[in-house]
Short mmCIF file of all heavy atoms in Angstrom, two decimals:
data_model
loop_
_atom_site.label_atom_id
_atom_site.label_comp_id
_atom_site.label_asym_id
_atom_site.label_seq_id
_atom_site.Cartn_x
_atom_site.Cartn_y
_atom_site.Cartn_z
N PHE A 136 10.98 12.24 29.22
CA PHE A 136 11.63 11.59 28.08
C PHE A 136 10.98 12.17 26.75
O PHE A 136 9.76 12.23 26.63
CB PHE A 136 11.43 10.05 28.04
CG PHE A 136 12.45 9.34 28.92
CD1 PHE A 136 12.12 8.76 30.09
CD2 PHE A 136 13.75 9.28 28.58
CE1 PHE A 136 12.98 8.14 30.88
CE2 PHE A 136 14.70 8.65 29.36
CZ PHE A 136 14.26 8.12 30.50
N ASP A 137 11.84 12.51 25.77
CA ASP A 137 11.40 12.94 24.54
C ASP A 137 11.36 11.84 23.45
O ASP A 137 10.77 11.92 22.42
CB ASP A 137 12.34 14.05 24.03
CG ASP A 137 12.39 15.29 24.91
OD1 ASP A 137 11.28 15.90 25.02
OD2 ASP A 137 13.38 15.54 25.57
N GLU A 138 12.14 10.78 23.83
CA GLU A 138 12.24 9.75 22.85
C GLU A 138 12.62 8.41 23.57
O GLU A 138 13.22 8.41 24.60
CB GLU A 138 13.29 10.03 21.83
CG GLU A 138 13.22 9.20 20.54
CD GLU A 138 14.24 9.79 19.52
OE1 GLU A 138 14.03 10.97 19.08
OE2 GLU A 138 15.13 9.07 19.11
N TYR A 139 12.09 7.28 23.14
CA TYR A 139 12.34 5.95 23.66
C TYR A 139 12.99 5.14 22.54
O TYR A 139 12.33 4.93 21.53
CB TYR A 139 11.22 5.34 24.21
CG TYR A 139 10.49 6.05 25.35
CD1 TYR A 139 9.47 6.96 25.02
CD2 TYR A 139 10.76 5.78 26.59
CE1 TYR A 139 8.90 7.67 25.98
CE2 TYR A 139 10.16 6.46 27.65
CZ TYR A 139 9.23 7.38 27.28
OH TYR A 139 8.50 8.14 28.36
N ARG A 140 14.20 4.63 22.67
CA ARG A 140 14.91 3.75 21.71
C ARG A 140 15.11 2.42 22.45
O ARG A 140 15.90 2.35 23.44
CB ARG A 140 16.23 4.35 21.25
CG ARG A 140 15.96 5.71 20.44
CD ARG A 140 17.34 6.27 20.07
NE ARG A 140 17.15 7.60 19.42
CZ ARG A 140 18.08 8.33 19.14
NH1 ARG A 140 19.40 7.90 19.23
NH2 ARG A 140 17.87 9.48 18.55
N ILE A 141 14.41 1.44 21.95
CA ILE A 141 14.48 0.13 22.63
C ILE A 141 14.96 -0.88 21.57
O ILE A 141 14.34 -1.06 20.52
CB ILE A 141 13.08 -0.34 23.15
CG1 ILE A 141 12.53 0.76 24.10
CG2 ILE A 141 13.17 -1.70 23.82
CD1 ILE A 141 13.30 1.03 25.32
N CYS A 142 15.89 -1.66 21.87
CA CYS A 142 16.38 -2.74 21.04
C CYS A 142 15.79 -4.03 21.64
O CYS A 142 16.05 -4.35 22.85
CB CYS A 142 17.81 -2.82 20.99
SG CYS A 142 18.37 -4.24 19.90
N ILE A 143 15.00 -4.74 20.85
CA ILE A 143 14.40 -6.03 21.32
C ILE A 143 15.25 -7.19 20.96
O ILE A 143 15.61 -7.37 19.78
CB ILE A 143 13.00 -6.31 20.68
CG1 ILE A 143 12.04 -5.06 20.91
CG2 ILE A 143 12.34 -7.58 21.28
CD1 ILE A 143 11.69 -4.71 22.36
N ALA A 144 15.77 -7.88 22.01
CA ALA A 144 16.57 -9.13 21.72
C ALA A 144 15.63 -10.24 21.64
O ALA A 144 14.68 -10.46 22.33
CB ALA A 144 17.49 -9.32 23.01
N PRO A 145 15.85 -11.14 20.57
CA PRO A 145 14.98 -12.23 20.28
C PRO A 145 15.14 -13.33 21.18
O PRO A 145 15.60 -14.51 20.90
CB PRO A 145 15.42 -12.58 18.84
CG PRO A 145 16.86 -12.29 18.82
CD PRO A 145 16.94 -11.07 19.63
N THR A 146 14.65 -13.16 22.40
CA THR A 146 14.68 -14.26 23.49
C THR A 146 13.67 -13.96 24.54
O THR A 146 13.25 -12.77 24.72
CB THR A 146 16.13 -14.41 24.06
OG1 THR A 146 16.19 -15.51 24.85
CG2 THR A 146 16.46 -13.22 24.87
N PHE A 147 13.37 -15.01 25.26
CA PHE A 147 12.49 -14.93 26.42
C PHE A 147 13.39 -15.26 27.57
O PHE A 147 14.02 -16.22 27.60
CB PHE A 147 11.28 -15.90 26.48
CG PHE A 147 10.26 -15.65 25.39
CD1 PHE A 147 10.15 -16.49 24.35
CD2 PHE A 147 9.51 -14.52 25.41
CE1 PHE A 147 9.30 -16.31 23.34
CE2 PHE A 147 8.52 -14.28 24.38
CZ PHE A 147 8.43 -15.17 23.31
N LEU A 148 13.55 -14.26 28.53
CA LEU A 148 14.43 -14.55 29.67
C LEU A 148 13.65 -15.22 30.78
O LEU A 148 14.25 -16.03 31.49
CB LEU A 148 14.96 -13.08 30.21
CG LEU A 148 16.19 -13.22 31.01
CD1 LEU A 148 17.34 -13.91 30.45
CD2 LEU A 148 16.61 -11.77 31.42
N GLY A 149 12.38 -14.86 30.96
CA GLY A 149 11.59 -15.61 31.97
C GLY A 149 11.63 -15.06 33.34
O GLY A 149 10.69 -15.29 34.11
N LYS A 150 12.69 -14.40 33.71
CA LYS A 150 12.80 -13.83 35.04
C LYS A 150 13.98 -12.83 35.02
O LYS A 150 14.73 -12.80 34.23
CB LYS A 150 13.05 -14.87 36.09
CG LYS A 150 14.25 -15.69 35.83
CD LYS A 150 14.37 -16.81 36.84
CE LYS A 150 15.46 -17.77 36.43
NZ LYS A 150 15.55 -19.02 37.21
N GLY A 151 13.86 -11.83 35.95
CA GLY A 151 14.81 -10.87 36.09
C GLY A 151 14.22 -9.46 36.41
O GLY A 151 13.19 -9.48 37.09
N ARG A 152 14.84 -8.43 35.92
CA ARG A 152 14.34 -7.08 36.23
C ARG A 152 13.66 -6.50 34.95
O ARG A 152 14.36 -6.40 33.89
CB ARG A 152 15.42 -6.15 36.63
CG ARG A 152 15.94 -6.61 38.06
CD ARG A 152 16.87 -5.62 38.66
NE ARG A 152 16.34 -4.26 38.66
CZ ARG A 152 16.96 -3.16 38.59
NH1 ARG A 152 18.33 -3.19 38.44
NH2 ARG A 152 16.50 -1.97 38.73
N ARG A 153 12.37 -6.09 35.05
CA ARG A 153 11.71 -5.51 33.91
C ARG A 153 12.13 -3.99 33.89
O ARG A 153 12.28 -3.38 34.85
CB ARG A 153 10.20 -5.68 34.14
CG ARG A 153 9.76 -7.09 33.98
CD ARG A 153 8.21 -7.12 33.98
NE ARG A 153 7.76 -8.50 33.80
CZ ARG A 153 7.66 -9.21 32.76
NH1 ARG A 153 8.02 -8.76 31.59
NH2 ARG A 153 7.27 -10.50 32.81
N LEU A 154 12.16 -3.58 32.53
CA LEU A 154 12.49 -2.14 32.41
C LEU A 154 11.32 -1.23 32.78
O LEU A 154 11.47 -0.34 33.46
CB LEU A 154 12.83 -1.92 30.90
CG LEU A 154 13.06 -0.46 30.57
CD1 LEU A 154 14.26 0.17 31.43
CD2 LEU A 154 13.39 -0.27 29.05
N PHE A 155 10.06 -1.64 32.42
CA PHE A 155 8.97 -0.85 32.60
C PHE A 155 8.21 -1.34 33.86
O PHE A 155 7.54 -2.39 33.79
CB PHE A 155 8.04 -0.73 31.39
CG PHE A 155 8.85 -0.19 30.16
CD1 PHE A 155 9.19 -1.00 29.17
CD2 PHE A 155 9.20 1.21 30.18
CE1 PHE A 155 9.91 -0.50 28.07
CE2 PHE A 155 9.90 1.66 29.10
CZ PHE A 155 10.23 0.80 28.07
N LEU A 156 8.30 -0.64 34.91
CA LEU A 156 7.77 -1.06 36.18
C LEU A 156 6.33 -0.51 36.28
O LEU A 156 5.87 0.35 35.66
CB LEU A 156 8.54 -0.32 37.31
CG LEU A 156 10.10 -0.68 37.27
CD1 LEU A 156 10.81 0.25 38.32
CD2 LEU A 156 10.35 -2.13 37.47
N GLU A 157 5.53 -1.25 37.23
CA GLU A 157 4.21 -0.87 37.55
C GLU A 157 4.20 0.56 38.11
O GLU A 157 5.23 0.95 38.79
CB GLU A 157 3.61 -1.82 38.65
CG GLU A 157 3.13 -3.14 38.08
CD GLU A 157 2.36 -3.82 39.08
OE1 GLU A 157 1.50 -3.21 39.86
OE2 GLU A 157 2.52 -5.05 39.16
N GLY A 158 3.23 1.29 37.74
CA GLY A 158 3.05 2.69 38.27
C GLY A 158 3.50 3.73 37.31
O GLY A 158 3.35 4.92 37.63
N ILE A 159 4.09 3.37 36.22
CA ILE A 159 4.48 4.47 35.29
C ILE A 159 3.20 4.95 34.67
O ILE A 159 2.28 4.18 34.41
CB ILE A 159 5.53 3.95 34.17
CG1 ILE A 159 5.03 2.83 33.33
CG2 ILE A 159 6.84 3.66 34.83
CD1 ILE A 159 5.89 2.43 32.20
N PRO A 160 3.13 6.21 34.20
CA PRO A 160 1.86 6.66 33.75
C PRO A 160 1.52 6.18 32.32
O PRO A 160 2.40 5.78 31.49
CB PRO A 160 2.10 8.24 33.64
CG PRO A 160 3.58 8.43 33.64
CD PRO A 160 4.14 7.16 34.28
N ASN A 161 0.28 6.05 32.03
CA ASN A 161 -0.23 5.67 30.81
C ASN A 161 0.07 6.81 29.74
O ASN A 161 -0.20 8.00 30.02
CB ASN A 161 -1.86 5.55 30.86
CG ASN A 161 -2.36 5.14 29.51
OD1 ASN A 161 -1.72 4.84 28.58
ND2 ASN A 161 -3.72 5.09 29.45
N LYS A 162 0.70 6.47 28.64
CA LYS A 162 1.12 7.42 27.67
C LYS A 162 1.20 6.80 26.29
O LYS A 162 1.78 5.81 26.19
CB LYS A 162 2.47 8.02 28.00
CG LYS A 162 2.92 9.10 27.06
CD LYS A 162 4.29 9.75 27.43
CE LYS A 162 4.09 10.77 28.53
NZ LYS A 162 3.67 12.02 28.15
N GLU A 163 0.40 7.30 25.41
CA GLU A 163 0.41 6.87 24.05
C GLU A 163 1.74 7.36 23.41
O GLU A 163 2.11 8.47 23.57
CB GLU A 163 -0.85 7.35 23.29
CG GLU A 163 -2.01 6.59 23.64
CD GLU A 163 -3.22 6.87 22.81
OE1 GLU A 163 -2.98 7.18 21.48
OE2 GLU A 163 -4.42 6.83 23.22
N LEU A 164 2.27 6.42 22.65
CA LEU A 164 3.55 6.75 21.90
C LEU A 164 3.38 6.62 20.40
O LEU A 164 2.48 5.83 19.95
CB LEU A 164 4.66 5.80 22.40
CG LEU A 164 4.96 5.80 23.88
CD1 LEU A 164 5.95 4.78 24.22
CD2 LEU A 164 5.40 7.26 24.37
N LYS A 165 4.15 7.30 19.69
CA LYS A 165 4.10 7.22 18.19
C LYS A 165 5.41 6.49 17.76
O LYS A 165 6.51 7.00 18.05
CB LYS A 165 3.88 8.62 17.51
CG LYS A 165 3.99 8.59 16.04
CD LYS A 165 3.89 9.93 15.49
CE LYS A 165 3.87 9.89 13.95
NZ LYS A 165 3.85 11.17 13.32
#
Side-chain angles (χ1 to χ4, degrees):
F136 279 109
D137 299 294
E138 197 170 301
Y139 300 88
R140 296 179 187 172
I141 307 294
C142 181
I143 307 295
T146 189
F147 295 110
L148 199 55
K150 56 187 172 184
R152 292 189 55 210
R153 291 191 183 276
L154 176 59
F155 301 109
L156 305 172
E157 280 190 41
I159 59 173
N161 182 6
K162 181 175 283 281
E163 287 190 27
L164 304 173
K165 178 180 179 184

